[in-house]
Amino acid sequence: MSNKGRVFSGARPTGRQHLGNYLGAIRNYVDLQEDYDCVYCIVDLHAMTTLAELQNIKPNTAEMALDWLAAGLRPEDTILFAQSHVPQVTELHTILSMFTQLGKLTDLPTFKDKVRLQPHNVNYGLVGYPVLMTADITLYKADIVPVGVDQQSHIEFAREIVRTFNYRTKRQVLIEPQMKNTDFPKVLGTDGKKKMGKSENNHIELSLTPEETNKVVSTMVTDPQRVRRTDPGNPEVCNVFTLHKYFSHDDKVASIDTECRNAGIGCVDCKRMLADELNDHLGPFRERRAELSRNPQYIWDILYDGADRAQKIASKTIAEVKSATGIA
Ligand code: ADP
């Protein structure tokens, strides 16, 4: 790796990625490769905090990694790996937990949200989530972490753990990560109401076939006030129009805007055009994905190679951390 700044980002293995992931995260992951050395981790250990998904974690890891690579991650530059393949992270997690006050962890709004969501399973990992996240970031000596608003409190928390560790050990072994705001307006799902996501089953997967894409786009909810084909539409409240803004050329967006408002086109036409745009845009991605998945072992080779490279950085950090604490 070069002397460029180092970016770290982790994401839970959610399997095949959808348009929300693509617009809100993956595009940014790909672009960051131009200016930074990037370390991208599929956080399979974090995923275990919600035990219902255990048997899906491994296949979801492979599917997600395939989507990322097909979208443009370059494994020759970027370190792409699965969190559990680098055991040093659990070692650092244990050490950092001794520098973290339990009360602060249980006070975090994100922890309280999780308790509300799974009151029957408030496991130890759920409380320690931000400490494991801090171990992820600091193990690889990342300077920068791309974050949306929802994760900012966790990065603040990570910075606090780093400051405590460096202060108490009187060494500057760990780097206090800087946040890079990558907030993107939330992409709504096919229902036109809720954030696109798998749990809402309102998502459009990147790797659908063109026929499947046409079908799912045809079910999208449009402007609720436009009942008849002859009614003038209101593109500003229509999620199909919002997606056109992301995937269609400006002149086409302008013409759809006008034609929708004067009832020149109907919602069915507008959705058909969106499906065509999506299929065009995602064509090269889908071809590349098909090519990469021809050999099922390929993705694991990439992930294990990434883990080897990550471990080189990790072992050095762990040695420094142990020396700083005085235990080695
Ligand atoms: P995680 O549990 O890691 O947040 P998600 O699948 O919810 O897993 O999200 C992964 C990334 O994709 C995050 O950066 C998230 O902000 C982004 N993302 C997911 N869904 C959407 C959406 N509907 N709109 C915008 N960004 C999204």
Side-chain angles (χ1 to χ4, degrees), residues 277-296:
E277 292 291 347
L278 288 176
N279 288 329
D280 274 359
H281 190 91
L282 294 170
F285 162 89
R286 289 168 178 169
E287 273 172 35
R288 184 150 167 69
R289 193 185 204 282
E291 204 180 294
L292 296 176
S293 44
R294 220 159 274 149
N295 170 8

Side-chain angles (χ1 to χ4, degrees), residues 74-135:
R74 300 189 298 268
E76 59 283 12
D77 299 324
T78 290
I79 298 183
L80 172 64
F81 67 106
Q83 186 182 30
S84 66
H85 296 176
V86 181
Q88 287 90 340
V89 78
T90 57
E91 212 174 345
L92 186 56
H93 170 241
T94 302
I95 295 174
L96 292 182
S97 72
M98 318 303 174
F99 294 82
T100 311
Q101 295 306 307
L102 182 60
K104 289 199 173 178
L105 285 170
T106 51
D107 273 351
L108 282 172
T110 44
F111 172 69
K112 291 180 178 160
D113 286 346
K114 283 274 156 64
V115 173
R116 261 193 298 275
L117 280 174
Q118 51 180 67
H120 54 287
N121 182 19
V122 184
N123 59 72
Y124 178 70
L126 218 48
V127 189
Y129 198 108
V131 188
L132 182 55
M133 188 189 241
T134 307

Side-chain angles (χ1 to χ4, degrees), residues 103-304:
K104 289 199 173 178
L105 285 170
T106 51
D107 273 351
L108 282 172
T110 44
F111 172 69
K112 291 180 178 160
D113 286 346
K114 283 274 156 64
V115 173
R116 261 193 298 275
L117 280 174
Q118 51 180 67
H120 54 287
N121 182 19
V122 184
N123 59 72
Y124 178 70
L126 218 48
V127 189
Y129 198 108
V131 188
L132 182 55
M133 188 189 241
T134 307
D136 280 325
I137 298 166
T138 53
L139 188 60
Y140 307 107
K141 298 265 173 109
D143 315 289
I144 293 162
V145 183
V147 274
V149 173
D150 53 336
Q151 285 295 328
Q152 278 177 8
S153 63
H154 281 161
I155 307 301
E156 269 312 332
F157 200 84
R159 289 161 60 87
E160 202 176 317
I161 298 177
V162 169
R163 285 196 295 272
T164 306
F165 180 87
N166 286 346
Y167 176 76
R168 297 248 322 261
T169 60
K170 299 188 177 55
R171 304 248 206 111
Q172 297 299 309
V173 165
L174 299 181
I175 296 177
E176 218 179 298
Q178 304 296 315
M179 292 184 236
K180 185 173 171 63
N181 190 311
T182 54
D183 241 354
F184 187 82
K186 72 176 172 196
V187 179
L188 301 183
T190 48
D191 51 10
K193 281 201 197 109
K194 295 190 181 141
K195 182 175 169 179
M196 185 180 286
K198 288 201 166 172
S199 52
E200 297 295 340
N201 199 21
N202 64 356
H203 59 295
I204 303 175
E205 278 176 8
L206 305 175
S207 52
L208 295 179
T209 63
E211 295 70 31
E212 289 166 338
T213 307
N214 299 346
K215 198 162 165 214
V216 65
V217 170
S218 76
T219 68
M220 284 181 76
V221 173
T222 54
D223 169 8
Q225 290 163 32
R226 193 175 183 194
V227 182
R228 288 176 299 264
R229 165 70 179 77
T230 47
D231 291 344
N234 305 284
E236 67 282 358
V237 297
C238 176
N239 191 35
V240 173
F241 183 69
T242 305
L243 289 185
H244 267 296
K245 286 198 275 186
Y246 296 135
F247 291 100
S248 302
H249 286 296
D250 291 348
D251 45 353
K252 183 146 192 196
V253 173
S255 113
I256 290 172
D257 187 310
T258 313
E259 293 301 309
C260 170
R261 284 181 203 284
N262 64 24
I265 56 166
C267 297
V268 173
D269 310 316
C270 188
K271 289 197 249 189
R272 209 171 283 138
M273 284 190 276
L274 177 64
D276 288 346
E277 292 291 347
L278 288 176
N279 288 329
D280 274 359
H281 190 91
L282 294 170
F285 162 89
R286 289 168 178 169
E287 273 172 35
R288 184 150 167 69
R289 193 185 204 282
E291 204 180 294
L292 296 176
S293 44
R294 220 159 274 149
N295 170 8
Q297 188 49 37
Y298 170 80
I299 200 67
W300 294 105
D301 291 345
I302 294 289
L303 290 172
Y304 281 117

